[in-house]
Amino acid sequence: MANKPIPPFRQVPSQEFGLQKVKYIIANNLSHEERHDVLKFIETIGKRDIIGLTPISISTRILEYFTPKELVALRLVSRTWNKKVTHDSLWRKICISYSIVPSDLIIQDTLVPIFHNLFQRCLNMTSHWKTLKCKRVELKYHKGPVLSLLIANPTRIFTGDVDGRIHVWDAENEAYVKTLVAHQSHVVCLASASKYLASGSSDTTVVIHDMASLRKTAVLLGHEGPVTSIAYSKQEKNILFTGSTDRTIRIWDTDTNECIRILYGQDNTISSLVYCMTFPKEYCLNEQDTYSVTHNRAGYIISGSSDRNIYIWDLKGCIKTEEPNVLSSIMKKDGPITALAVYNENQADCRQNFMTIPTNEYVCSRAPINIPTFIAFCTSSDKSISVYSLPGFENTFVETPNIHRSTIWSISTAVIHSKLITTSGDRTAIIWDLKSPKTSLTLAGFDSAVISSAVSPQEELLCFGTEKGTIVLFDLMIST
């Protein structure tokens, strides 16, 4: 090839990169023959499958420059590309960047692409909470109404039957696991802690099962009437609260199966119990509430009763050594309390990794809305819910769109996704989006009154129970 003086290189404007810069270099620095050789070389390279032939460590570095949406399209190139594009070394970093998993998560490599599947399921959940157009399963094995529902995790869904049995369902594998013969009569309420499952019944007993083995470990006696409500402490996982028609709240230590305390004060059936770990101090409006929140270490119990009263019990510094007292209360004139729930953003874990872009759709759907902790409840004659901020029971004057045509039987919260769910005798459930206060989604098609509901801890499952014994399960991670 003849030598030819190289013309001076023209400066490329600083804003021009990539292909444009390559064109400038070739045009200004190569002869005609040299350009021809470069094009032949590029043509040869272009016939090789660079992604398919390079080691996974190198192909991952290349594929990191693509967005998740582009990577999904690249899976269709070939089977080899599909394996490279769905490899955990690539999607683990993406899951961390979206705060789907913590940045310090360590997991052994497997043949199954765990992180790609996890990313897809989590993004599905984000969109399905807006539309509920997800996988829906109906289960029919109850002898009577589904009086109680509990989702401990995707492999442990518990439902209480009228014959004293507790049914256990594995939603992840769509399998019926076991029947627990727990009581002699209706299983009215269920609660769980890390290693315990507790159930309350109209036979006046509370039964404790081991969560792992599902073996009955204790029967707690003491209530003089049916047990109607139950809740575990989130502070001390062995502390259990039970309410009854005998108008008392009993506090139990399920490690020793002893009754620690009995709380008196309400004049009728304790229909609802909810444990709340704390209240934000900035929303306290008087010195009494501020002092209580500052010094409280054991949490609070909110109790609703057929006497139309709702009490907040201050458990103070230690349940075992200090006597709880009523911090505040409110009375409704419309009838007995039929459903009660507490919406508390402090109990939701929505932590973000430091490298997460706050505008990605997964993070936005889980971002807190920074509102005061509030209580949502209704009475037997209400067709909509009442909302009051806590701990002072200040009226929020929020007009809720959850308006039913019959009695509201249950209220559940999905705090991570800012949702409130109500069910009613009108055969519907309504999901209220708190990020858009006037927006709600009505679910119909139930075979009878919807009398119970539950949301899984990570909010990937939503479950309803009907008067005719049908369980309706929505898997928000799987599309229809």
Side-chain angles (χ1 to χ4, degrees), residues 231-477:
Y232 261 107
S233 167
K234 292 181 174 62
Q235 201 86 300
E236 299 178 73
K237 300 298 178 65
N238 60 310
I239 299 299
L240 178 70
F241 307 90
T242 59
S244 169
T245 58
D246 64 10
R247 297 177 284 182
T248 66
I249 298 172
R250 287 180 175 257
I251 305 177
W252 310 81
D253 183 341
T254 50
D255 282 346
T256 62
N257 300 321
E258 295 178 355
C259 180
I260 303 170
R261 292 188 182 278
I262 304 176
L263 306 182
Y264 301 92
Q266 297 194 275
D267 297 327
N268 213 320
T269 298
I270 311 296
S271 57
S272 303
L273 280 178
V274 179
Y275 177 84
C276 193
M277 193 177 298
T278 187
F279 300 117
K281 191 186 301 184
E282 59 268 27
Y283 296 120
C284 296
L285 299 182
N286 57 59
E287 291 183 5
Q288 178 187 0
D289 293 347
T290 302
Y291 180 86
S292 170
V293 170
T294 302
H295 294 84
N296 183 284
R297 297 292 180 271
Y300 299 86
I301 277 289
I302 296 100
S303 61
S305 170
S306 297
D307 65 5
R308 300 177 293 174
N309 282 297
I310 298 175
Y311 285 2
I312 297 180
W313 298 85
D314 184 352
L315 302 176
K316 299 185 178 178
C318 178
I319 295 173
K320 295 182 179 180
T321 60
E322 295 184 69
E323 183 72 29
N325 69 284
V326 177
L327 177 63
S328 54
S329 64
I330 189 172
M331 173 181 274
K332 292 292 288 182
K333 299 179 181 180
D334 303 324
I337 305 298
T338 57
L340 182 153
V342 171
Y343 186 94
N344 185 1
E345 287 189 332
N346 291 337
Q347 295 181 7
D349 185 3
C350 297
R351 289 173 292 182
Q352 296 181 21
N353 298 325
F354 70 92
M355 72 286 286
T356 296
I357 301 173
T359 54
N360 81 60
E361 59 267 45
Y362 180 77
V363 170
C364 287
S365 71
R366 300 163 66 89
I369 50 181
N370 300 316
I371 61 174
T373 300
F374 68 82
I375 184 173
F377 64 93
C378 55
T379 67
S380 57
S381 60
D382 287 339
K383 304 299 185 296
S384 62
I385 55 178
S386 299
V387 177
Y388 290 83
S389 63
L390 297 175
F393 285 112
E394 289 83 19
N395 198 330
T396 61
F397 300 102
V398 175
E399 184 179 349
T400 67
N402 294 43
I403 299 175
H404 290 274
R405 299 188 304 275
S406 185
T407 301
I408 296 173
W409 289 113
S410 76
I411 304 173
S412 296
T413 61
V415 180
I416 297 174
H417 291 90
S418 307
K419 301 289 192 291
L420 202 68
I421 302 104
T422 58
T423 69
S424 169
D426 64 6
R427 302 189 180 192
T428 67
I430 297 179
I431 301 174
W432 178 21
D433 184 358
L434 297 177
K435 288 181 179 175
S436 304
K438 294 186 178 180
T439 303
S440 64
L441 177 67
T442 301
L443 300 176
F446 297 98
D447 59 10
S448 56
V450 189
I451 59 176
S452 57
S453 60
V455 180
S456 60
Q458 294 302 314
E459 300 182 4
E460 68 270 60
L461 298 174
L462 173 61
C463 198
F464 300 100
T466 73
E467 190 176 25
K468 287 187 176 180
T470 302
I471 299 167
V472 181
L473 176 70
F474 290 86
D475 190 333
L476 294 144
M477 283 190 162

